[in-house]
Amino acid sequence: MHRTLADLLAGLTSISAFVMIVVAMAFGYATMDIPGLIMGLLGGLVVAAVMCGTISLLVLIERHLRELAEGIRPEAARSAPVSRARMDSAAGRIEPALR
C-alpha cells in the first residue's frame, strides 16, 4: 500500500508543478501582459522547483531505501514462509527458520 501511494505521489508531483507554473503565468499575464507573463513563468518555476523538488527528493529517498531493504533480505527468506526465527549468535542477527 505504501509503495502504491509513493508512486502516486511521484506522478502527482509532476502534474502539480505544471499547474503551479501555468497559474503563475496566468496571474502574471493578467497583471502586466508580456512582462508579467515572463515574471510569472520565472516565479512559477522557482515555486514549483522548491515545493515539488522537495517532494520528489523524498520520493527518491524512499525508493532507494526500499531497494536497500529488498537487497538485504536473503532470497530464501523472501520466497519461503517463516515458521519461527532462530538467533545466529555468531552474527548477532535473527534469521528465519525455513520449513
Side-chain angles (χ1 to χ4, degrees):
M1 183 67 177
H2 294 295
R3 185 173 294 180
T4 305
L5 291 175
D7 293 338
L8 180 66
L9 182 63
L12 290 176
T13 302
S14 303
I15 295 170
S16 64
F18 179 74
V19 169
M20 286 181 201
I21 293 169
V22 169
V23 167
M25 288 174 61
F27 180 74
Y29 184 74
T31 56
M32 294 188 292
D33 287 332
I34 300 299
L37 182 72
I38 295 170
M39 289 175 59
L41 173 66
L42 295 176
L45 284 172
V46 168
V47 170
V50 169
M51 293 179 71
C52 297
T54 302
I55 294 171
S56 295
L57 181 65
L58 292 173
V59 168
L60 181 67
I61 290 170
E62 187 272 336
R63 284 183 181 161
H64 285 294
L65 288 174
R66 184 186 327 152
E67 288 176 11
L68 285 172
E70 289 174 356
I72 289 174
R73 284 187 249 148
E75 281 296 319
R78 276 188 244 160
S79 60
V82 176
S83 60
R84 12 170 238 185
R86 64 180 169 88
M87 183 68 161
D88 185 8
S89 59
R93 62 181 182 208
I94 296 176
E95 294 181 1
L98 304 177
R99 290 185 199 179

